[in-house]
Amino acid sequence: SRWVCTQIIMATNEERPLKIAKFIMIMRELWKLNNFNGVMIVYSALNNGSVSKFVDQALPVLPSDVVDS
């Protein structure tokens, strides 16, 4: 969880939406593999107070296939 947060926070403004999209896609693959512990780790990182503001900013920029579940 801390590593995911660090990856998003340390990314540049241009890279950040791509990293967020990458982790959302990883979370979906973990769900398909029934790895719910991994899903919760990524989910909690994306909902971290320091990261969630970046996620909110990135959601309008992300492709629709990443945002739609």
Side-chain angles (χ1 to χ4, degrees), residues 27-39:
M27 191 168 55
R28 284 192 184 149
E29 290 300 316
L30 290 168
W31 183 269
K32 289 178 189 176
L33 294 170
N34 293 328
N35 185 343
F36 304 118
N37 187 39
V39 170

Side-chain angles (χ1 to χ4, degrees), residues 16-28:
R16 196 167 288 128
L18 299 173
K19 293 240 183 199
I20 291 170
K22 175 182 168 184
F23 285 118
I24 290 172
M25 291 167 55
I26 289 171
M27 191 168 55
R28 284 192 184 149

Side-chain angles (χ1 to χ4, degrees), residues 4 23-24 26-27 30 38-47:
V4 174
F23 285 118
I24 290 172
I26 289 171
M27 191 168 55
L30 290 168
V39 170
M40 289 307 297
I41 288 171
V42 177
Y43 179 78
S44 66
L46 293 176
N47 284 318

